[in-house]
Amino acid sequence: MNDPAVPGGDPVTLEQPPASYAGRTRHTQLEFEAILANATLGIAFTRERRFFLCNPKFAAMLGYEPEELIGQPGEIVYASAESYQALGRIAVPILSTGRQLDVEWEFRRKDGSTFVARVIARSLSEKGAGQGTVWIVEDISERRRHADEAARLLREQEAILGTTSVGVVFVKDRRIVRCNRRYEQMYGYEPGELDGKPTRILYPDDAEYQAAQDGYGALARGETTRRVGLRRRKDGSTFLDRADGRAVDPRSPQRGAVWTIEDVTEQRRAEEELQHVLAEQQALIDNVAVGIQFSRERKTVRCNRRYEEMFGYAPGEAAGAPSRDIYFTEEEYRQAGRVYKELDQGLMHAREQWLRRKDGAGFWCRINGRAVKPGDAASGYVWLFTDITQERAAEERVQRALAEQELILDNAAVGIAFMRNRVIQRCNRFLEEMVGAGPGELVGQSSAILFPSEDEWQAAGLRNSKTPPGGTYENEVPFQRRDGSTFICRARGRRTDAGDDEQEWIWSYEDVTAEHQARTLAAASREQLERAVTERTTELQEANARAQHLADHDALTGLPNRRLLEDRLKQALALSYRNRKQTAVMFIDLDRFKTINDSLGHAVGDVLLREVAVRLVKQLRVGDTICRIGGDEFMVVLPEVKRSSHVAQVAQKIIDQLSQPVVVEERELTVTPSIGIAVFPDDGRDAEALIRNADAAMYHAKEMGRANYQFFTEQMNLTAARRLALEGDLRRALGRDEMRLHYQPIVDTVSGKVAAHEALLRWQHPVRGLLSPEEFIQVAEETGLILKIGEWVLREACMWATFIGIERKFLINVNLSARQFNDPKLPQLVSAALRETGLPPELLELEITESTAMQQTDITLSTLKKLKDLGVSIAIDDFGTGYSSLAYLKRFPVDKLKIDRSFVSDIPRMKEQRAIVEAIMALAKALDLKVIAEGVENEAQRKFLRGCGCEYLQGFAAGKPADADTAAEKYL
């Protein structure tokens, strides 16, 4: 509070009564004091900037007792000295002229807290402030808070209206008071354009407008209303909206209403489509050829018409019928009830059973069932029923036909054999006698047993392999009896399969040795005469041709070389350009040929390359060109092809032929080709571009798993660049210590205790993060880096196994790649790793894949024996995915078989997978081998494997892979 100074006047002492008291009676003064004491506003009197009187309300407002303020300067009740001075600058000019001051100002209580108050002040004398000033103070903090809250709510409301996904409009007397931006957008109007407009403009016609009037009756009763109707945008287009309205004040509906609007056009369309789909689904159920039943508590909830017809029910009659009605006996019904346990576990059920129709007749039925929601019987079960009575009858007819066929076989005067993939499935006694075999001795044997040599057998297979399904083949081939003597046999065969991978044949055999000898003798005499005549005339031609041939052809295979290829490719491109046709270029690379060349020597590799060249030539047309451009790389030019699908067919034929085994020095070798294809003019308009792009496509084929073909795409150039970058990063990875090993536990099936750990390779790439082997192992194999990486893995794994404590007797399992296993230095590397890390040999177990073990069995056997001499264990990994020879498996010094995860994933649900696992277990037991099952994920798999006698488990159910430090924590 602040009094203006009185110019030239004497100071007025506090003891003097205020001038306004002069002339008042004692009664009047008492009345005045009573008013002050009971006033609801704070009142204070100041003179010379000090308080000389105040009422209790004023003192309490500021946290003082009334007497505490008397004599105190007015400055003590202000928030700061600056605030005190600021009010003085406002108040002095006003109060000095006798006018009234009315402001809102911030004050400070005795405890230091502040509040906002309305202040009204006036001088006690109209002549000025010299006699003092009266101050009336009202605390308006609560009022100010309410005002701020109201402003905040208003801002929030505006924000909600501005951001909500629905239209919001305030309507009074069917006119738009205001609306949010979404509402304007919904109707196609600019901001503010709808304010004040009648709602009639939003309706497409008067009928819709009048129909909307019904909702206002509910609003008048204070109720919420909803309506769905057609509305019109500004541009005249219409849409379907859903509007929800409520009076702003239900007690006073005339104050208007607020509506929220949603465009439900798409929702309505979706609902109609859903109904259409449901109708189609019901039509499908009603018209499928199988009976469909939905059951709950073993009663029919609903079914399709086929189910009713199958069991002899009238339409709708089966609903509610108990499932007991379709079984002949109570025992059959109880047996069928046992399957619900497996259904509740999420498994499917299938069986064939003799079921009962309503009239008591029986029929054979195939039943398939599953739970609608496994584990929730209340959701019910769905069953499919197929009448297989006719199938069963057909099976019986087949069995009768087979019996009749046996009679024919036993009495035929020629040898007859049924073969699948060149393995004798069955044969008659005449054929057994023809080759000197005992009854049943040929069944299950390869047809190679009939031939005098492996080469003869292979050649015969090549000649008949091109026969189409249903076609016939006839030839005369040499056969060998059990006593070693040979004879000429006329073989007539018909291919009976439908074009499957496994060819099936029926063969008849006749001994035509005498006839063949007579024909051979006559032909030899004629050929000898003709040869003498032609030899003289051809010698010079052959010499000239040989010189030109050597210049243009590969010395090893006799195929055109790169020089001749480029010449023929340019000619083919010129011809294709004139005739507006395509020319295809194939780049062929033999997969893993280097492994064979390194392990078996160049002589064996040369024989294999020559055989590949022969097979390639047999697949091409006249006018096609094939050349060897170096190493194990070949190129094929196919001029004037009509479409890319023809090129794909040729590529597939090449893959099929080259993938057939080749016998070299009594070894059966198998190589597969990866083929890249570039087509003129799409993939290049000159020879260099086509060759380069075909090469890129070939590398993509290798990345896609080898033994396939790929057409060039522009993306392959990018892929080739990425592969080159990955190769560079991989070469630097070991030097930068970026390789990591994770360890996964292998546990004992019975006790559940850890028995071993498998070391799993990872790459901590500086940019791409942690990479699994699938992303870089192929590059490592192809570049030879796998040998350095494999050596590092071996040492690191042995070191970790030593670190966690050899006294625990935990085995460490280390995988060996095919190239690493074929390295002659492998035994020395293993010995050095054991010696340097101090790991006992019996705690190291080396894993090789089944396919690696069976590639060169003699070398495999020698390497395994050397490793076993070191004292380490050997395990065959991915067992069951390759083609093991049981004879070799028995000879191999291995300790364990690892069942591949592909066989474990579907057990015990899949019957076929269960049978495979049980067969592997039986084989392992017969060979006295332990078994590790990979990929064990759940308790059901663990329980099944334990019941089969599997000794060890590996997978997430046993423990996830972890980095070296984490895996070692539990042992330290």
Side-chain angles (χ1 to χ4, degrees):
M1 293 24 188
N2 202 1
D3 296 308
V6 181
D10 296 330
V12 180
T13 62
L14 288 175
E15 288 76 10
Q16 293 176 333
S20 57
Y21 283 4
R24 290 187 178 181
T25 64
R26 176 64 180 165
H27 179 72
T28 302
Q29 185 172 348
L30 291 174
E31 289 178 348
F32 179 73
E33 291 174 352
I35 291 172
L36 287 179
N38 293 283
T40 59
L41 302 176
I43 302 173
F45 296 87
T46 61
R47 187 182 302 122
E48 295 181 352
R49 303 190 178 187
R50 290 180 180 273
F51 293 104
F52 70 86
L53 182 65
C54 69
N55 69 343
K57 179 64 177 177
F58 181 82
M61 194 180 296
L62 291 161
Y64 292 92
E65 295 296 330
E67 59 273 11
E68 283 187 89
L69 286 174
I70 303 304
Q72 294 293 331
E75 185 178 353
I76 68 171
V77 300
Y78 289 87
S80 64
E82 290 78 7
S83 175
Y84 173 66
Q85 294 168 3
L87 183 60
R89 287 192 293 273
I90 296 171
V92 168
I94 296 174
L95 298 178
S96 298
T97 57
R99 289 177 294 155
Q100 178 175 291
L101 173 69
D102 190 342
V103 295
E104 293 181 359
W105 208 259
E106 186 179 28
F107 292 96
R108 182 179 64 193
R109 299 186 181 93
K110 182 179 180 181
D111 61 7
S113 61
T114 62
F115 66 96
V116 178
R118 182 184 178 191
V119 179
I120 300 175
R122 196 177 184 90
S123 296
L124 292 175
S125 171
E126 294 180 359
K127 296 179 180 181
Q131 296 299 316
T133 304
V134 61
W135 303 84
I136 301 174
V137 181
E138 179 184 5
D139 185 346
I140 62 170
S141 299
E142 191 65 20
R143 185 195 311 167
R144 175 68 64 85
R145 190 183 65 79
H146 285 306
D148 290 344
E149 182 68 15
R152 183 186 64 80
L153 292 174
L154 184 60
R155 288 194 301 271
E156 290 178 354
Q157 184 187 62
E158 289 297 329
I160 293 171
L161 292 178
T163 58
T164 184
S165 61
V166 299
V168 181
V169 60
F170 296 90
V171 177
K172 184 176 180 182
D173 298 330
R174 301 201 79 175
R175 281 185 174 274
I176 298 170
V177 178
R178 63 191 181 97
C179 61
N180 69 345
R181 182 63 191 128
R182 175 60 183 147
Y183 185 83
E184 293 167 334
Q185 292 171 341
M186 198 177 292
Y187 285 93
Y189 287 89
E190 296 298 322
E193 192 176 355
L194 283 173
D195 293 352
K197 293 290 194 299
T199 57
R200 174 62 183 83
I201 66 173
L202 307 178
Y203 293 86
D205 51 47
D206 290 337
E208 286 285 347
Y209 181 69
Q210 292 301 327
Q213 180 64 34
D214 297 340
Y216 285 91
L219 296 180
R221 296 190 297 272
E223 300 172 356
T224 299
T225 183
R226 168 175 286 191
R227 63 172 185 249
V228 177
L230 199 64
R231 298 295 179 265
R232 183 178 64 189
R233 300 186 181 92
K234 183 180 179 180
D235 61 6
S237 61
T238 59
F239 68 99
L240 200 64
D241 83 342
R242 179 171 61 222
D244 294 276
R246 186 177 180 84
V248 173
D249 184 356
R251 294 170 298 182
S252 180
Q254 65 273 14
R255 293 180 63 184
V258 59
W259 295 86
T260 58
I261 312 296
E262 293 181 78
D263 185 341
V264 296
T265 307
E266 290 301 322
Q267 179 181 337
R268 180 63 63 87
R269 184 180 295 113
E271 291 174 353
E272 292 173 353
E273 290 179 356
L274 176 60
Q275 293 302 319
H276 179 69
V277 169
L278 291 175
E280 289 180 344
Q281 183 186 61
Q282 188 59 46
L284 177 64
I285 291 175
D286 289 341
N287 291 281
V288 293
V290 298
I292 303 176
Q293 177 208 39
F294 297 90
S295 70
R296 189 182 299 118
E297 296 179 352
R298 305 195 75 180
K299 290 184 179 180
T300 302
V301 177
R302 61 192 181 97
C303 62
N304 67 347
R305 183 61 190 133
R306 176 57 182 151
Y307 176 87
E308 294 170 333
E309 293 170 348
M310 193 179 294
F311 288 95
Y313 289 105
E317 186 181 2
S323 298
R324 172 64 181 85
D325 294 348
I326 67 174
Y327 297 97
F328 283 94
T329 66
E330 191 67 30
E331 177 60 23
E332 290 177 354
Y333 178 65
R334 282 198 301 272
Q335 290 284 350
R338 296 175 181 173
V339 306
Y340 286 93
K341 184 176 181 180
E342 62 184 73
L343 297 181
D344 289 335
Q345 294 174 354
L347 303 177
M348 294 183 64
H349 173 74
R351 70 177 188 273
E352 294 181 0
Q353 190 169 354
W354 182 256
L355 295 182
R356 179 182 181 276
R357 293 191 173 92
K358 182 183 176 183
D359 61 4
F363 68 103
W364 278 105
C365 188
R366 182 180 296 118
I367 307 169
N368 299 87
R370 68 179 301 166
V372 174
K373 185 177 181 182
D376 182 11
S379 298
Y381 305 86
V382 60
W383 298 91
L384 303 182
F385 296 85
T386 307
D387 188 339
I388 59 170
T389 306
Q390 293 182 355
E391 291 181 26
R392 282 295 188 107
E395 270 186 45
E396 293 176 359
R397 289 194 296 272
V398 169
Q399 294 301 321
R400 286 197 299 270
L402 288 175
E404 294 169 357
Q405 190 180 72
E406 286 297 328
L407 290 174
I408 295 173
L409 290 177
D410 291 342
N411 294 280
V414 294
I416 299 176
F418 295 82
M419 296 193 188
R420 179 182 298 118
N421 275 3
R422 308 193 73 187
V423 174
I424 301 171
Q425 304 299 309
R426 55 197 180 100
C427 64
N428 65 348
R429 184 62 189 138
F430 192 91
L431 177 61
E432 293 170 337
E433 293 172 349
M434 186 184 296
V435 297
E441 194 174 344
L442 296 178
V443 175
Q445 297 287 337
S446 168
S447 58
I449 198 174
L450 304 175
F451 290 81
S453 68
E454 184 78 11
D455 289 343
E456 292 284 359
W457 180 70
Q458 291 285 358
L462 286 175
R463 286 193 293 270
N464 65 47
S465 61
K466 297 179 182 179
T467 305
T472 59
Y473 176 80
E474 180 176 340
N475 196 14
E476 293 180 357
V477 293
F479 269 21
Q480 179 176 284
R481 301 182 181 90
R482 283 304 179 90
D483 60 7
S485 61
T486 61
F487 64 97
I488 303 301
C489 183
R490 179 178 293 126
R492 295 186 179 91
R494 177 180 292 276
R495 185 174 171 184
T496 60
D497 63 273
D500 303 327
D501 292 338
E502 293 188 347
Q503 291 193 12
E504 296 182 357
W505 289 80
I506 299 176
W507 292 94
S508 66
Y509 301 102
E510 291 181 77
D511 185 346
V512 293
T513 305
E515 177 184 338
H516 185 78
Q517 288 173 345
R519 188 168 62 247
T520 301
L521 182 60
S525 299
R526 184 174 63 252
E527 288 176 1
Q528 185 176 4
L529 179 61
E530 292 175 350
R531 190 183 309 113
V533 175
T534 59
E535 280 177 352
R536 295 286 183 149
T537 59
T538 59
E539 287 179 355
L540 182 60
Q541 296 175 353
E542 289 176 354
N544 293 333
R546 190 179 303 112
Q548 184 63 41
H549 183 85
L550 290 174
D552 294 334
H553 292 77
D554 173 57
L556 176 65
T557 63
L559 295 176
N561 56 21
R562 192 180 189 105
R563 191 182 74 81
L564 185 56
L565 168 76
E566 291 176 352
D567 180 66
R568 291 188 181 178
L569 179 55
K570 289 177 182 178
Q571 293 178 22
L573 295 180
L575 184 64
S576 292
Y577 182 80
R578 286 196 301 271
N579 296 338
R580 299 185 179 277
K581 291 186 177 181
Q582 296 178 324
T583 290
V585 176
M586 293 184 181
F587 199 112
I588 303 172
D589 184 274
L590 301 182
D591 301 326
R592 301 184 179 90
F593 174 81
K594 191 175 187 304
T595 302
I596 295 175
N597 219 25
D598 292 345
S599 59
L600 301 181
H602 292 282
V604 173
D606 289 347
V607 173
L608 182 59
L609 288 173
R610 283 193 290 269
E611 178 61 23
V612 168
V614 170
R615 295 185 183 184
L616 285 173
V617 170
K618 290 181 178 179
Q619 298 304 311
L620 300 181
R621 308 169 299 177
V622 175
D624 295 343
T625 298
I626 177 170
C627 83
R628 177 175 176 238
I629 60 175
D632 60 346
E633 296 177 337
F634 298 81
M635 292 205 69
V636 174
V637 177
L638 304 176
E640 295 197 308
V641 293
K642 294 182 179 179
R643 54 182 66 91
S644 298
S645 60
H646 293 171
V647 181
Q649 291 173 4
V650 174
Q652 188 59 54
K653 287 171 63 179
I654 290 174
I655 292 172
D656 293 342
Q657 285 302 310
L658 297 191
S659 299
Q660 296 294 324
V662 179
V663 177
V664 181
E665 296 181 0
E666 298 183 352
R667 290 187 178 91
E668 184 176 281
L669 304 178
T670 301
V671 293
T672 57
S674 294
I675 303 176
I677 304 171
V679 180
F680 169 89
D682 297 336
D683 302 330
R685 291 184 172 272
D686 57 46
E688 182 181 353
L690 288 170
I691 293 172
R692 183 179 63 251
N693 293 339
D695 187 21
M698 181 274 293
Y699 274 106
H700 184 61
K702 284 187 174 293
E703 292 173 355
M704 296 300 290
R706 296 185 173 88
N708 70 95
Y709 63 86
Q710 296 292 325
F711 284 85
F712 172 78
T713 65
E714 194 59 37
Q715 181 65 28
M716 290 179 185
N717 281 333
L718 300 176
T719 302
R722 284 197 299 269
R723 183 185 181 280
L724 189 61
L726 181 65
E727 180 180 336
D729 290 345
L730 188 58
R731 290 185 182 277
R732 295 184 288 271
L734 280 174
R736 294 177 177 176
D737 195 27
E738 292 172 0
M739 289 299 168
R740 302 286 185 271
L741 284 184
H742 286 202
Y743 297 88
Q744 186 173 29
I746 300 172
V747 302
D748 185 278
T749 306
V750 177
S751 67
K753 294 181 178 180
V754 175
H757 297 84
E758 182 176 0
L760 303 173
L761 180 62
R762 302 290 186 268
W763 178 12
Q764 187 64 52
H765 193 279
V767 177
R768 298 170 59 186
L770 194 66
L771 303 182
S772 64
E774 291 78 8
E775 298 184 69
F776 62 88
I777 281 298
Q778 182 179 343
V779 174
E781 287 272 7
E782 292 172 356
T783 58
L785 292 172
I786 192 64
L787 296 177
K788 291 184 178 179
I789 294 174
E791 183 177 350
W792 177 86
V793 170
L794 181 62
R795 295 179 187 275
E796 191 73 11
C798 291
M799 191 181 305
W800 184 84
T802 306
F803 173 71
I804 65 171
I806 58 177
E807 69 277 4
R808 303 180 189 277
K809 301 298 182 182
F810 289 158
L811 270 69
I812 185 71
N813 288 42
V814 178
N815 290 279
L816 298 178
S817 71
R819 193 158 184 177
Q820 190 179 8
F821 182 75
N822 290 322
D823 183 6
K825 299 179 182 179
L826 177 63
Q828 293 91 322
L829 292 175
V830 174
S831 178
L834 293 171
R835 184 175 60 255
E836 293 169 9
T837 60
L839 182 71
E842 63 270 16
L843 297 185
L844 175 61
E845 185 162 275
L846 300 176
E847 297 183 10
I848 61 170
T849 63
E850 184 181 17
S851 56
T852 299
M854 295 301 163
Q855 279 185 354
Q856 291 92 34
T857 51
D858 292 343
I859 296 177
T860 298
L861 182 59
S862 174
T863 303
L864 291 178
K865 287 182 177 179
K866 292 177 182 178
L867 293 173
K868 285 297 291 182
D869 290 341
L870 296 176
V872 302
S873 303
I874 305 294
I876 300 296
D877 197 9
D878 299 338
F879 189 78
T881 61
Y883 301 91
S884 290
S885 165
L886 297 184
Y888 278 108
L889 188 60
K890 185 177 180 181
R891 293 172 59 194
F892 289 163
V894 299
D895 304 279
K896 294 187 180 72
L897 300 180
K898 295 190 74 172
I899 303 177
D900 187 73
R901 63 179 62 248
S902 61
F903 301 121
V904 176
S905 59
D906 290 325
I907 61 170
R909 179 170 58 87
M910 297 293 291
K911 180 172 64 176
E912 296 83 358
Q913 303 297 67
R914 293 200 307 268
I916 291 172
V917 172
E918 289 170 350
I920 293 175
M921 291 304 306
L923 174 64
K925 185 176 181 181
L927 298 176
D928 196 24
L929 301 177
K930 303 292 185 182
V931 176
I932 303 173
E934 294 181 296
V936 181
E937 308 288 351
N938 54 56
E939 185 58 32
Q941 294 169 346
R942 183 198 293 266
K943 184 177 179 181
F944 174 82
L945 291 166
R946 185 167 57 240
C948 290
C950 179
E951 289 85 354
Y952 302 103
L953 305 178
Q954 182 179 359
F956 284 5
K960 297 182 179 180
D963 61 76
D965 292 340
T966 304
E969 283 178 357
K970 66 178 72 175
Y971 306 120
L972 302 179

